[in-house]
């Protein structure tokens, strides 16, 4: 029959190795911080992920994603932004006439479309208009955004061959009658 000391030996070795492991762990990782604690660099965190967690610019240790990526916090839709990388939607554009940009949702086709001027507004290029059509209605008038027209929805002026159509505010045109 085996003595009780020989039976306890494997158990004592196991406990000794676990105790040694805990001491080693405390010595190697004394400064690693847990999730939610303030940090400056990724190396300070157990997760190796130090990012901003809200609009507050201070950084905190945060968990990694399922794919083990360390993603920074991004602003939700409606918050002001200066670059698309700041937004959850990855879309930072003007939403009205002001120069201020906001985080906006992507389209159903995952496009980030900028705000454009409505029909009738003054413009300098086709890109500024919602209709993508910026033309000069008369030789002496400024360029304006107008609705595309024709069967192929082209950017055509509202002028007849003789140039006798008149533009009335609100983007409506009248046709001239027969000339005497």
């Amino acid at each position: 029959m085996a003595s009780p000391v020989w039976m306890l030996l494997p158990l004592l070795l196991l406990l000794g190795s676990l105790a040694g492991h805990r001491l080693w762990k405390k010595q190697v990782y004394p400064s690693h911080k847990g999730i939610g604690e303030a940090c400056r660099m990724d190396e300070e965190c157990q997760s190796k992920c130090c990012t901003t967690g809200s609009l507050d610019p201070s950084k905190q240790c945060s968990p990694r994603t399922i794919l083990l990526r360390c993603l920074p916090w991004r602003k939700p839709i409606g918050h002001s932004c200066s670059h698309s990388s700041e937004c959850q939607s990855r879309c930072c554009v003007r939403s009205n006439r002001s120069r201020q940009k906001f985080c906006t949702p992507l389209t159903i086709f995952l496009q980030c479309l900028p705000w454009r001027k409505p029909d009738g507004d003054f413009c300098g290029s086709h890109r500024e208009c919602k209709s993508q059509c910026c033309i000069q209605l008369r030789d002496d008038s400024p360029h304006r955004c107008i609705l595309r027209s024709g069967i192929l929805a082209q950017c055509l002026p509202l002028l007849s061959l003789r140039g006798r159509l008149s533009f009335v505010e609100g983007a409506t045109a009248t046709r001239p009658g027969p000339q005497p």
Side-chain angles (χ1 to χ4, degrees):
M1 194 155 164
S3 101
V5 175
W6 290 108
M7 291 175 67
L8 291 176
L9 187 60
L11 182 60
L12 290 173
L13 289 173
L14 180 64
L15 289 174
S17 66
L18 288 176
H21 177 68
R22 278 189 228 135
L23 290 174
W24 175 79
K25 191 173 181 179
K26 285 181 183 176
Q27 291 172 357
V28 173
Y29 301 109
S31 64
H32 281 193
K33 299 175 180 178
I35 304 299
E37 293 185 58
C39 60
R40 287 189 217 137
M41 301 182 315
D42 289 340
E43 290 75 29
E44 294 178 36
C45 303
Q46 289 175 354
S47 63
K48 300 278 192 234
C49 187
C50 180
T51 61
T52 54
S54 64
L55 289 173
D56 182 11
S58 65
K59 291 184 169 185
Q60 303 172 357
C61 292
S62 57
R64 289 184 173 264
T65 65
I66 294 172
L67 302 174
L68 300 177
R69 294 183 62 201
C70 182
L71 298 177
W73 181 84
R74 291 190 175 95
K75 297 176 180 180
I77 292 170
H79 283 270
S80 63
C81 57
S82 57
H83 194 268
S84 292
S85 63
E86 296 177 28
C87 302
Q88 289 174 354
S89 63
R90 297 285 198 178
C91 185
C92 178
V93 294
R94 289 176 43 199
S95 60
N96 56 27
R97 289 182 188 353
S98 74
R99 291 280 172 202
Q100 180 68 41
K101 290 182 173 183
F102 295 95
C103 294
T104 55
L106 296 174
T107 67
I108 193 168
F109 301 109
L110 302 177
Q111 295 174 312
C112 181
L113 297 178
W115 177 83
R116 294 197 168 105
K117 295 178 179 180
D119 294 335
D121 273 14
F122 296 106
C123 57
S125 72
H126 296 304
R127 289 176 295 151
E128 292 179 25
C129 302
K130 187 179 234 175
S131 64
Q132 297 285 302
C133 189
C134 175
I135 61 172
Q136 193 174 14
L137 298 172
R138 290 188 304 246
D139 291 337
D140 60 343
S141 68
H143 285 78
R144 288 185 178 262
C145 295
I146 66 160
L147 191 61
R148 290 177 176 260
S149 59
I151 296 173
L152 300 175
Q154 296 176 356
C155 187
L156 300 172
L158 298 174
L159 302 176
S160 67
L161 293 174
R162 296 180 193 160
R164 299 210 173 148
L165 289 178
S166 63
F167 182 77
V168 179
E169 287 298 320
T172 59
T174 58
R175 292 190 177 155
Q179 295 293 325

